[in-house]
Amino acid sequence: MTNLSCFIVDDEPGAVTTLTVLIERYCPFLTISGSANSVEQALNFLNNHTVDILFLDIKMKQETGFDLLRLLPKQFLHIVFVTAHDEYGIQAIKFSATDYLLKPVVPEELIAAVHKVILSNKNSYTDQTSMLLQSYEQQRLNTQKRIALADQNEIRYVLIESIVCCGAENSYTSFYIHNESRPIIVSKPISEYEQILSLYGFIRIHQSWLINKNRVESFKKADGGYLMMDNKMSVPVSRQRKHLLKEL
């Protein structure tokens, strides 16, 4: 495997040490070029050096990792966020198809995130970062308009209002888009999207289905009950979740 370089930004020295040990032990092909405890320190280094992966904390005292992103030249291939909380940050990251790790970081998740970076499209950095910053700001105002959906070939930036419903199959989610014949299949479970899309009128009416309530045409009582969507799809409603129909 080709050697790659990385840089760690976290205001907690202990967190930097922990991640350093994990990278050295479980990702030996990664060379750690350095670390920083603040946006200013990171900027001073990164303005003069190029690295392949940036491990970036979201919450740093009075600063955020997004403050650093706004100031950086567009030179990095990939960003992996490392965070303990920050609801807005995680939602923005999921919207923009960027990798993230939750503290305390476990080896399996670190390895998976790094390998995902290696296999992903290196040319997508600029688009993802631009979308990420826009998403983070818009999430604070609840004005998000698009979501990034990454399949094997590309990242699609889809209008949220155009999503009719989402179907789950194991760890994959199929997004059915209005006026499109084929779904967009994303390798993430439907639970990843339930919380963030609930802000925009989506309801989990079945273990395997998340629907846009603004695209429901009717409720059919036959066969245990199902919804007809405006793209002519029929979506089952579980017995346990029929009470949610009151919201429709």
Side-chain angles (χ1 to χ4, degrees), residues 41-98:
Q41 289 179 9
L43 197 60
N44 288 338
F45 179 90
L46 296 171
N47 275 334
N48 298 293
H49 301 82
T50 299
V51 298
D52 297 300
I53 304 174
L54 179 63
F55 290 96
L56 181 59
D57 188 18
I58 290 181
K59 201 78 169 179
M60 297 182 290
K61 294 185 175 69
Q62 304 302 316
E63 304 173 308
T64 72
F66 296 93
D67 296 327
L68 176 62
L69 288 185
R70 293 187 189 96
L71 300 171
L72 283 178
K74 300 299 186 292
Q75 62 179 343
F76 300 100
L77 298 183
H78 291 286
I79 298 168
V80 176
F81 280 94
V82 186
T83 181
H85 42 75
D86 197 316
E87 177 183 356
Y88 286 113
I90 292 177
Q91 287 185 357
I93 292 165
K94 290 179 180 178
F95 265 117
S96 300
T98 307

Side-chain angles (χ1 to χ4, degrees), residues 48 74 104 145 180 183 235:
N48 298 293
K74 300 299 186 292
K145 299 299 183 185
E180 292 194 17
V235 180

Side-chain angles (χ1 to χ4, degrees), residues 179-197:
N179 286 335
E180 292 194 17
S181 58
R182 294 184 179 181
I184 300 172
I185 301 175
V186 180
S187 59
K188 288 183 180 180
I190 199 169
S191 58
E192 291 272 341
Y193 299 100
E194 181 178 3
Q195 181 180 2
I196 54 178
L197 289 178

Side-chain angles (χ1 to χ4, degrees), residues 107-140:
E108 293 80 7
E109 292 180 357
L110 171 64
I111 294 169
V114 171
H115 279 272
K116 182 178 178 181
V117 165
I118 293 170
L119 295 173
S120 61
N121 180 5
K122 295 180 179 181
N123 296 322
S124 66
Y125 167 78
T126 301
D127 288 341
Q128 285 188 8
T129 304
S130 175
M131 177 79 174
L132 175 62
L133 289 172
Q134 181 186 41
S135 295
Y136 182 71
E137 298 300 333
Q138 290 180 334
Q139 272 294 309
R140 295 183 181 276

